Amino acid sequence: MRTDTSVPVRLEDYRPPAFIIDTVELDIRLSPQATRVSARLTIRRAPDAPADAPLVLDGDELELAGLTLDGRALAADDFSATPQRLEIFKVPDGPFVLDIETRLDPDANTKLMGLYRSNGTYCTQCEAEGFRRITYFQDRPDCLSVYTTRLEARASEAPVLLANGNPVASGPVEGTDRHFAVWHDPHPKPSYLFAMVAGDLARVSDSFTTADGREVALNIFVEHGNEAACDWAMDSLKRSMRWDEEAFGRVYDLDVFNIVAVSDFNMGAMENKGLNIFNDKYVLARPDTATDQDYAGIEAVIAHEYFHNWTGNRITCRDWFQLCLKEGLTVFRDQEFSSDMRSRPVKRISDVRLLKSHQFPEDAGPLAHPVRPRQYHEINNFYTATVYEKGAEVVRMLKTLVGPEDFRAGMDLFFERHDGEATTIEAFLACFAEASGRDLAQFALWYEQAGTPALSVESRYDQAAGTLTLDISQRTPATPGETRKQAMHIPLRVGLVGPDGSDMPPADVSGMEHGDDVLHLRDGRHQVVFSGLAEQPVPSLLRGFSAPVTLSSNLADADYLFLAANDSDPFNRWDALQRVVMNTLIAASASVARGQMPRLPNGLADALGASASDASLEPAFRALCLQLPGEADIAREIGHDVDPDAIHAARAWLRRSLSDALSPVLLGLYRDMAPDGPFSPEADAAGRRALRNVLLEYLGHGSVPEAGDLVTAQFQAADNMTDRLAALTVLVHAGLHGSEEALAAFEARHGSTPLAMDKWFMVQATAPHEGTLDRVRALTAHPGFSAGNPNRVRALIGAFATGNQSQFNRIDGAGYIFVADFVEELDTRNPQAAARLMSAFRSWRALEGRRRGLAEARLRAMASRKDLSVDLADIVTRCLQ
Ligand code: B3K
Ligand code: ZN
């Protein structure tokens, strides 16, 4: 048990728990400021545990109100209790019953961990270490128990009483205005999956018949008035349940599956057994208030939480270092689900964009850590893009390496062998090694070694020999605490594209281990020779983004434009275009910094125009081709001495130049993509909107005279949030005539819908204008803003800090001061939210000197404070390391 948080928790120190807690019976008598929790635990000493070890339970800000062992009160010198810890010096070995009573104040719980109230609804969040804020417990994921929960509350205050598992009893508490409900969860689970909800909520119900013929009651609970906004979430849930049966053979295992949407929630959602609790952003959707991205996000998060029922709940993590065992794997599963529901190439491109924009900078900066970290000060700071997104890429590579059949066999073995256990990455990998007969020892390094491997490929064609030779090398840059890196096992998917644009299979491949089209890189350097090539092909490297690496090669922009027009691999077709765009932006940013005029390379506008108008491609894909990398993406590629103003100017220049070069094409396409039927949230219709709105962005930022009217007309005519928000964003960001009126109209329309107002905050916070910081500061006093609500904080302050590179990184340092001041204030109320917001500073070392100095000064000032939360202190300290 840890009381000194200055000492990190280390993977190598793992020891199994000293006690087994077979059952937990909770009786929670709810009251806004004085909730009483009675916990009855059946405990026995673990077989291998030392006979005299005391019973030590975790707590966090707890108040002990009663304690008995086997019904007898303990004497004062039999135990010690602090808010953080309960120790009973002598306990029997055999099963004994411990009764603990604690008192909680849900209203005062602004950390949103443990039991708190959101808009009057009692709810819980226990992952990672929130259960210890409810009662004293061995609050660790390898302590599995069967839970029975009795809830009691005033009937008028909380007509709905929910907990994990199946309902077993309910009724009035005679002679009072209170009522109760009892829930029982037969599946042993770790405490982080405990949940309860009580409140006055509306219910939307449906049902699902499992593959083995059982009827499952499905319910979504929301605030009254939001019932009509649950259809998409319910539909997504049913599709997820069916898909998991078909794709992974996983069937649901309780009589009910409940989802509750709350408005104050630190992250997206939580997979508590049988009772998922969601940030309302990932449940509520109406065409008027939710964008296509919101619909896709709901579908993915509903699926993700549902899939955790097997990967996370039935099979859980032995310790928090194994977090990627459930998160990386479950992200992989939800990505596959969305690929099957939508377009696979579009989903892959979106996922890689996200990986590159969120995970690559993490891996390249001071917060870099392995997919399975080896130590932490605060586990909540490790719910990162590395654990989630890179973790999913590792599972995807595993599938590429062993092939789809052996991958499925490995998954089946994992489910069969480890069901009901808390296990490890080693155990997971062993299933695939066994199912495929492959040695995965080197592959396991992906879990151990931080940093993004850099691949470099030199290709040369020998006409006389008919061969194409690739000289490939890999190098992983140093990361904090890890200077020497080993070579990784990297699957490199490769194709050769012939002069006529079609794939050109070689007669032979020599020099290294390979599958059909996958090269197995295992060493620092490789040479591979493709032979039997009568004509010179262009190599298409890293198809489908077969590994989370950076790739440089000796291919020229002309080769990439050729691939952009011809590659049979849709991912690489998109990627090829992006590479030329990125090269152009990097060169342009350097020109701008030198005070020179940038240059549009030959063929780029035509290539983009051709991709945008190619009717054989789906509109969503064409939209992605047109979408320019963000300013933070450009900064990431430049990597050092970053000048955010030059990057902003370069990107604005390229957008304007392309717009002007292509304006007739863009205008024509914009008209072609007009809605062709009533609104539908499905992928095809969303793809048309995505294309139309990226066209609108180009037009609005170009010099076509009618563009302003076009944008205003779309804003006024839009019958859905996607189109309305896209138009509003162009109006505000391009500073077009009528932008203030449009903001006012949006506010008038959506002022009482907080999730829609988040978009209004976000549009203003991301405007790349001199006055934005003042505006953001003023908006913190807007009645719709609340620093206590994580969604509002993300929409206004988070969007400014991470989505507005030029203004957050203002040359006068005012952006840093504003965000850091806000973070310090937020830290007193919600440390998790504060720590997350502060990670916006993580790339400070890559900035040019002046900004670097200003950001560092603000970080150091924060680091010198003695009153920071563990969460925030951990981020600040690591940012400075
Ligand atoms: N498992 C939760 C995240 C919990 C975060 C705790 N700080 C949601 C998810 O990944 O599904
Ligand atoms: Zn998850």
Side-chain angles (χ1 to χ4, degrees):
M1 238 250 14
R2 193 168 71 121
T3 41
D4 180 0
T5 47
S6 63
V7 181
V9 183
R10 290 181 215 278
L11 171 57
E12 66 198 45
D13 295 337
Y14 173 81
R15 300 288 175 277
F19 290 89
I20 293 167
I21 306 181
D22 289 306
T23 62
V24 177
E25 287 168 56
L26 294 167
D27 186 0
I28 304 180
R29 281 150 293 161
L30 292 158
S31 155
Q33 280 133 30
T35 291
R36 300 177 74 88
V37 178
S38 307
R40 169 165 293 182
L41 315 179
T42 319
I43 308 180
R44 61 194 157 97
R45 195 178 296 275
D48 302 330
D52 52 352
L55 174 69
V56 180
L57 302 179
D58 308 291
D60 182 9
E61 300 184 321
L62 282 180
E63 184 191 336
L64 182 65
L67 181 65
T68 65
L69 196 155
D70 283 336
R72 285 186 304 276
L74 292 171
D77 56 359
D78 289 340
F79 70 97
S80 85
T82 70
Q84 319 303 324
R85 183 175 205 265
L86 173 62
E87 178 171 350
I88 304 176
F89 306 126
K90 274 196 169 39
V91 293
D93 293 341
F96 60 93
V97 174
L98 194 68
D99 280 291
I100 306 171
E101 184 154 332
T102 47
R103 277 200 207 101
L104 314 177
D105 181 349
D107 274 358
N109 184 356
T110 57
K111 294 185 176 172
L112 314 185
M113 279 297 275
L115 172 61
Y116 65 95
R117 288 218 300 169
S118 171
N119 270 354
T121 297
Y122 296 93
C123 61
T124 54
Q125 171 57 34
C126 292
E127 189 178 0
E129 297 177 335
F131 191 68
R132 64 184 66 181
R133 294 170 61 77
I134 297 173
T135 189
Y136 292 100
F137 202 68
Q138 273 189 162
D139 193 12
R140 44 188 288 167
D142 55 356
C143 176
L144 307 183
S145 320
V146 170
Y147 284 68
T148 307
T149 307
R150 179 183 180 278
L151 300 172
E152 190 194 298
R154 272 182 41 219
S156 59
E157 184 192 25
V160 173
L161 299 173
L162 307 169
N164 311 93
N166 296 318
V168 291
S170 61
V173 179
E174 295 305 336
T176 71
D177 60 354
R178 299 172 71 80
H179 72 150
F180 76 95
V182 180
W183 292 77
H184 177 73
D185 179 4
H187 301 279
K189 64 168 175 287
S191 49
Y192 82 84
L193 290 173
F194 168 78
M196 55 126 288
V197 169
D200 185 4
L201 297 167
R203 170 163 80 171
V204 175
S205 300
D206 207 323
S207 76
F208 179 84
T209 309
T210 60
D212 52 10
R214 281 178 316 100
E215 196 75 4
V216 181
L218 311 178
N219 301 299
I220 300 182
F221 293 87
V222 291
E223 286 174 13
H224 290 284
N226 283 335
E227 295 89 327
C230 297
D231 295 353
W232 181 252
M234 184 64 90
D235 186 58
S236 302
L237 174 61
K238 289 190 286 183
R239 284 184 281 120
S240 308
M241 295 176 86
R242 190 62 74 218
W243 185 88
D244 211 16
E245 293 182 343
E246 287 165 1
F248 283 92
R250 298 298 107 201
V251 178
Y252 188 61
D253 54 7
L254 288 168
D255 303 337
V256 291
F257 188 81
N258 287 325
I259 289 177
V260 180
V262 299
S263 47
D264 302 279
F265 206 65
N266 269 340
M267 60 265 170
M270 179 64 213
E271 70 264 24
N272 318 295
K273 183 79 188 190
L275 176 56
N276 286 189
I277 300 180
F278 271 64
N279 185 327
D280 56 5
K281 174 178 165 55
Y282 290 108
V283 173
L284 305 177
R286 286 187 291 120
D288 193 46
T289 54
T291 60
D292 292 330
Q293 212 185 339
D294 294 328
Y295 277 90
I298 291 168
E299 182 179 81
V301 177
I302 293 264
H304 179 97
E305 305 311 330
Y306 175 73
F307 298 156
H308 267 315
N309 190 55
W310 275 94
T311 49
N313 302 4
R314 293 282 291 243
I315 304 181
T316 194
C317 304
R318 186 194 72 173
D319 52 69
W320 290 121
F321 297 101
Q322 321 294 329
L323 184 57
C324 59
L325 175 71
K326 74 178 180 81
E327 294 307 347
L329 176 57
T330 306
V331 171
F332 169 78
R333 276 153 51 70
D334 84 56
Q335 290 175 345
E336 287 298 288
F337 167 73
S338 294
S339 301
D340 284 348
M341 296 297 120
R342 293 161 178 261
S343 151
R344 187 162 279 272
V346 168
K347 176 65 179 156
R348 185 67 189 136
I349 294 166
S350 312
D351 289 340
V352 173
R353 280 177 58 128
L354 186 84
L355 180 83
K356 288 190 170 181
S357 67
H358 287 71
Q359 200 277 327
F360 277 24
E362 187 165 272
D363 239 356
L367 302 183
H369 55 274
V371 171
R372 180 171 68 180
R374 278 181 294 278
Q375 64 168 56
Y376 60 77
H377 279 96
E378 173 50 65
I379 186 57
N380 284 312
N381 286 339
F382 282 83
Y383 287 75
T384 58
T386 298
V387 168
Y388 277 67
E389 269 72 40
K390 188 173 179 182
E393 290 300 317
V394 175
V395 177
R396 187 173 296 280
M397 283 190 285
L398 189 58
K399 183 173 179 183
T400 304
L401 288 175
V402 303
E405 283 82 28
D406 287 353
F407 180 75
R408 176 67 199 263
M411 285 300 300
D412 288 349
L413 184 56
F414 177 62
F415 290 126
E416 187 191 311
R417 185 179 283 174
H418 297 290
D419 187 14
E421 288 180 6
T423 192
T424 60
I425 287 299
E426 282 78 6
F428 175 69
L429 284 178
C431 295
F432 296 92
E434 219 167 294
S436 69
R438 280 182 171 271
D439 178 358
L440 297 174
Q442 189 185 5
F443 181 76
L445 267 182
W446 280 104
Y447 286 102
E448 305 296 331
Q449 202 165 261
T452 308
L455 272 191
S456 141
V457 180
E458 294 273 317
S459 80
R460 64 181 187 277
Y461 178 67
D462 182 333
Q463 173 81 63
T467 58
L468 183 85
T469 303
L470 301 183
D471 283 304
I472 307 171
S473 64
Q474 61 161 298
R475 200 186 71 83
T476 304
T479 52
E482 265 184 26
T483 40
R484 293 167 63 103
K485 304 281 184 178
Q486 301 173 54
M488 309 277 254
H489 184 178
I490 299 175
L492 180 69
R493 199 180 286 282
V494 176
L496 303 179
V497 185
D500 67 349
S502 55
D503 275 1
M504 191 170 157
D508 193 27
V509 183
S510 66
M512 65 184 297
E513 182 189 347
H514 62 91
D516 281 350
D517 54 356
V518 177
L519 304 176
H520 289 245
L521 314 185
R522 290 175 178 273
D523 300 330
R525 292 183 173 282
H526 287 277
Q527 187 171 77
V528 58
V529 181
F530 299 91
S531 51
L533 303 169
E535 292 176 297
Q536 176 167 7
V538 178
S540 167
L541 305 165
L542 201 66
R543 278 186 162 173
F545 201 69
S546 59
V549 299
T550 60
L551 172 72
S552 59
S553 76
N554 61 340
L555 295 190
D557 277 0
D559 296 319
Y560 281 121
L561 290 179
F562 174 78
L563 291 175
N566 296 292
D567 203 322
S568 64
D569 181 67
F571 177 86
N572 266 12
R573 214 165 152 165
W574 168 81
D575 186 65
L577 210 42
Q578 286 293 303
R579 280 176 188 270
V580 182
V581 167
M582 186 59 90
N583 292 342
T584 307
L585 286 164
I586 293 172
S589 156
S591 303
V592 170
R594 284 195 305 267
Q596 291 165 355
M597 192 57 200
R599 205 184 57 80
L600 196 60
N602 289 339
L604 178 57
D606 288 345
L608 281 163
S611 294
S613 346
D614 186 341
S616 72
L617 302 169
E618 51 189 330
F621 180 86
R622 291 149 67 187
L624 286 169
C625 289
L626 282 182
Q627 227 166 75
L628 296 179
E631 290 172 18
D633 296 309
I634 306 166
R636 179 193 72 236
E637 294 294 317
I638 293 175
H640 58 88
D641 295 303
V642 164
D643 175 351
D645 288 334
I647 289 176
H648 175 73
R651 188 175 183 276
W653 159 81
L654 181 60
R655 184 171 51 193
R656 197 173 48 250
S657 309
L658 291 171
S659 175
D660 294 349
L662 294 169
S663 54
V665 179
L666 302 177
L667 268 172
L669 268 174
Y670 179 82
R671 301 211 165 95
D672 289 353
M673 286 297 133
D676 58 356
F679 177 87
S680 150
E682 303 292 336
D684 286 348
R688 288 174 63 91
R689 282 188 289 275
L691 177 53
R692 191 158 179 263
N693 286 327
V694 73
L695 295 163
L696 188 75
E697 184 190 339
Y698 274 100
L699 290 165
H701 288 270
S703 345
V704 177
E706 65 265 45
D709 292 345
L710 209 68
V711 185
T712 304
Q714 175 167 322
F715 178 76
Q716 286 167 352
D719 69 348
N720 63 83
M721 180 54 97
T722 303
D723 290 339
R724 184 176 309 123
L725 181 63
L728 181 69
T729 306
V730 177
L731 284 169
V732 173
H733 289 194
L736 296 180
H737 177 71
S739 60
E740 290 302 326
E741 291 79 356
L743 280 168
F746 190 102
E747 185 184 9
R749 180 177 188 131
H750 297 296
S752 60
T753 310
L755 291 174
M757 284 300 281
D758 283 347
K759 303 173 194 315
W760 185 82
F761 286 123
M762 199 176 291
V763 169
Q764 297 176 76
T766 51
H769 307 147
E770 186 74 35
T772 291
L773 175 57
D774 286 340
R775 187 176 277 237
V776 171
R777 199 178 278 121
L779 285 171
T780 58
H782 187 278
F785 182 78
S786 153
N789 179 287
N791 288 357
R792 302 302 92 77
V793 170
R794 252 191 303 271
L796 186 61
I797 319 295
F800 175 74
T802 59
N804 196 338
Q805 289 297 301
S806 67
Q807 300 313 301
F808 172 58
N809 294 298
R810 281 164 60 118
I811 190 74
D812 61 1
Y816 305 139
I817 292 174
F818 168 73
V819 173
D821 288 354
F822 188 93
V823 164
E824 285 178 357
E825 176 65 33
L826 183 60
D827 192 44
T828 62
R829 149 207 305 266
N830 187 337
Q832 255 182 59
R836 194 183 315 116
L837 189 52
M838 198 58 198
S839 42
F841 280 81
R842 68 183 174 195
S843 298
W844 67 274
R845 275 209 180 81
L847 293 163
E848 53 76 29
R850 188 179 157 85
R851 289 173 173 89
R852 195 189 315 141
L854 292 165
E856 180 175 7
R858 191 61 192 87
L859 274 164
R860 293 212 180 274
M862 192 178 284
S864 71
R865 289 182 63 142
K866 297 278 167 275
D867 55 349
L868 302 183
S869 67
V870 180
D871 307 58
L872 183 56
D874 173 47
I875 292 290
V876 176
T877 313
R878 286 198 285 135
C879 273
L880 285 166
Q881 75 189 354

